Amino acid sequence: MEQSRAAPRLQIVLGHLGRPSARDIVGHPTSGTISSASFHPQQFQYSLDNNVLTLEQRKFYEENGYLVIKNLVSDADIQRFRNEFEKICRKEVKPLGLTVMRDVTISKSEYAHGEKMITKVQDFQEDKELFRYCTLPEILKYVECFTGPNIMAMHTMLINKPPDAGKKTSRHPLHQDLHYFPFRPSDLIVCAWTAMEPINRNNGCLVVLPGTHRGSLKPHDYPKWEGGVNKMFHGIQDYEENTARVHLVMEKGDTVFFHPLLIHGSGRNKTQGFRKAISCHFASADCHYINVKGTSQENIEKEVTGLANKLYGLANTMDLKDIWMFRARLVKGERTNL
Ligand SMILES: O=C(O)CCC(=O)C(=O)O
């Protein structure tokens, strides 16, 4: 889209808006060294050589498509994100561009308002407090290992997984985040996802299929589950059922970085608490937009643009690229293509 079209629309929108066998995987390597004799650096495809990751960590990400860094975000920062989320829930702040999501069952349940009503806030790029997450040096230090030095924050979320009301709607189907993204190359995109409290199988931790980042983008659609599924929760229709899975049990502050082709999802929240995580998808500013027409991503494009055009009364003038250009924010280096 040319700049001349983008600028007025940006004003309009901003004006209206008030992702080896699992059994063989050893934990989450966060430190340590490994003999360089067994490595061939020229074979690294998914990570960059900037002296931040140990060889073991790089090899782990290359093979598995994810890497957990323990205790990366401080309790103080997590408390600030929590406070701001609560303010949003109480409608004390209304960040521009924020999308508020509700569980399909919650809107019909006993929770009338507040934190218990909201399952996710998305696109908090205009909320200074929450967006601090995307600028934390400890996060960007790792992001740079995958994107390189010019970094855009593309997609932001604070996920408040509700107690499952019995219909299993708190599950997030297995998917690849790249399904949602009209930018490439995929190897220069990475998600940072930080646990805001201890997260385990009881309250619905992330589940990943290691090594699937080496495959291709698969067709996604709404899963045919009984009991309902949340808006935009597309899942892969035909993944290999016997592929090994790893449940990422994490402590508060632990952060997982993962590739946008990694197949992942999250389980049901069987507790009475609201399980919280904050995340951002980052991309190299050297990525470029693609046209998803005629590809498996066309269904999500229709849904996202349909919703945006309806919300902002834009008479079908916004396309997927426009929406992503509005979300994208430079967080390090120089803005180039995105
Ligand atoms: O936090 C979760 O439960 C899963 C989030 C996720 O996979 C996503 O939003 O793409």
Side-chain angles (χ1 to χ4, degrees):
M1 187 187 64
E2 319 90 62
Q3 287 302 325
S4 57
R5 279 174 61 212
R9 277 197 225 159
L10 179 62
Q11 280 164 5
I12 291 167
V13 171
L14 292 178
H16 279 70
L17 289 171
R19 33 215 105 60
S21 158
R23 286 170 195 83
D24 299 334
I25 293 164
V26 189
H28 310 132
T30 56
S31 61
T33 53
I34 195 162
S35 159
S36 58
S38 58
F39 289 95
H40 305 281
Q42 70 274 19
Q43 289 174 358
F44 288 152
Q45 178 184 338
Y46 303 101
S47 59
L48 303 165
D49 182 10
N50 61 0
N51 295 320
V52 172
L53 300 182
T54 64
L55 267 180
E56 185 190 15
Q57 289 172 323
R58 270 190 92 183
K59 186 163 184 277
F60 189 91
Y61 188 88
E62 294 276 330
E63 287 180 2
N64 297 290
Y66 72 94
L67 181 70
V68 176
I69 305 296
K70 305 286 295 171
N71 200 21
L72 188 65
V73 177
S74 72
D75 286 0
D77 281 330
I78 289 175
Q79 190 58 47
R80 283 177 67 171
F81 305 143
R82 189 177 275 272
N83 294 345
E84 183 69 3
F85 176 68
E86 287 170 4
K87 276 189 188 169
I88 292 172
C89 294
R90 293 194 299 265
K91 300 191 175 161
E92 286 167 26
V93 288
K94 291 186 181 166
L96 219 57
L98 192 81
T99 308
V100 174
M101 319 275 280
R102 296 183 167 84
D103 185 275
V104 275
T105 56
I106 288 184
S107 49
K108 298 179 196 134
S109 79
E110 72 270 30
Y111 305 131
H113 52 257
E115 182 191 12
K116 294 185 172 172
M117 208 43 204
I118 294 175
T119 57
K120 196 194 279 198
V121 291
Q122 240 174 232
D123 303 326
F124 54 66
Q125 64 274 4
E126 291 297 322
D127 183 306
K128 280 206 175 71
E129 263 311 274
L130 290 183
F131 196 72
R132 279 185 61 253
Y133 173 74
C134 311
T135 64
L136 290 177
E138 56 271 40
I139 292 283
L140 292 179
K141 174 178 125 177
Y142 285 99
V143 169
E144 194 168 343
C145 303
F146 309 106
T147 61
N150 298 317
I151 308 175
M152 303 292 296
M154 300 298 292
H155 185 223
T156 51
M157 289 187 291
L158 192 151
I159 307 141
N160 187 42
K161 191 193 267 288
D164 199 278
K167 303 217 159 176
K168 299 188 182 165
T169 53
S170 66
R171 285 181 297 180
H172 198 129
L174 289 172
H175 63 282
Q176 295 165 299
D177 290 336
L178 195 69
H179 172 63
Y180 297 89
F181 303 157
F183 40 91
R184 301 288 188 275
S186 57
D187 294 345
L188 295 180
I189 304 170
V190 71
C191 178
W193 186 100
T194 298
M196 293 176 65
E197 59 195 294
I199 298 188
N200 49 46
R201 290 187 73 163
N202 237 3
N203 58 4
C205 62
L206 284 185
V207 56
V208 300
L209 276 54
T212 49
H213 66 301
R214 287 184 255 129
S216 55
L217 179 60
K218 300 187 180 308
H220 288 60
D221 214 330
Y222 282 108
K224 293 168 187 66
W225 286 344
E226 279 176 32
V229 66
N230 285 310
K231 267 229 154 309
M232 311 263 174
F233 273 33
H234 288 195
I236 295 178
Q237 305 294 297
D238 68 335
Y239 63 92
E240 177 50 63
E241 284 279 350
N242 295 325
T243 312
R245 297 175 181 206
V246 172
H247 290 88
L248 299 183
V249 174
M250 294 164 67
E251 295 302 322
K252 184 175 173 183
D254 292 356
T255 301
V256 60
F257 295 90
F258 60 93
H259 189 282
L261 281 170
L262 183 76
I263 299 178
H264 67 284
S266 66
R268 188 153 62 99
N269 180 0
K270 299 177 233 162
T271 70
Q272 288 311 302
F274 285 70
R275 188 228 71 181
K276 289 185 179 52
I278 187 165
S279 86
C280 179
H281 286 89
F282 297 92
S284 163
D286 300 323
C287 285
H288 57 272
Y289 287 106
I290 58 157
N291 185 346
V292 301
K293 292 216 168 24
T295 75
S296 66
Q297 293 179 257
E298 210 170 341
N299 58 354
I300 192 70
E301 174 178 47
K302 275 197 189 123
E303 199 171 335
V304 172
T305 52
L307 189 71
N309 284 314
K310 190 168 148 198
L311 273 175
Y312 310 125
L314 292 177
N316 296 327
T317 53
M318 280 242 281
D319 62 25
L320 196 57
K321 182 175 158 187
D322 296 337
I323 293 170
W324 283 97
M325 285 176 75
F326 299 141
R327 288 175 167 154
R329 295 286 182 281
L330 182 73
V331 287
K332 193 160 189 245
E334 286 173 25
R335 185 164 193 167
T336 53
N337 300 324
L338 290 178

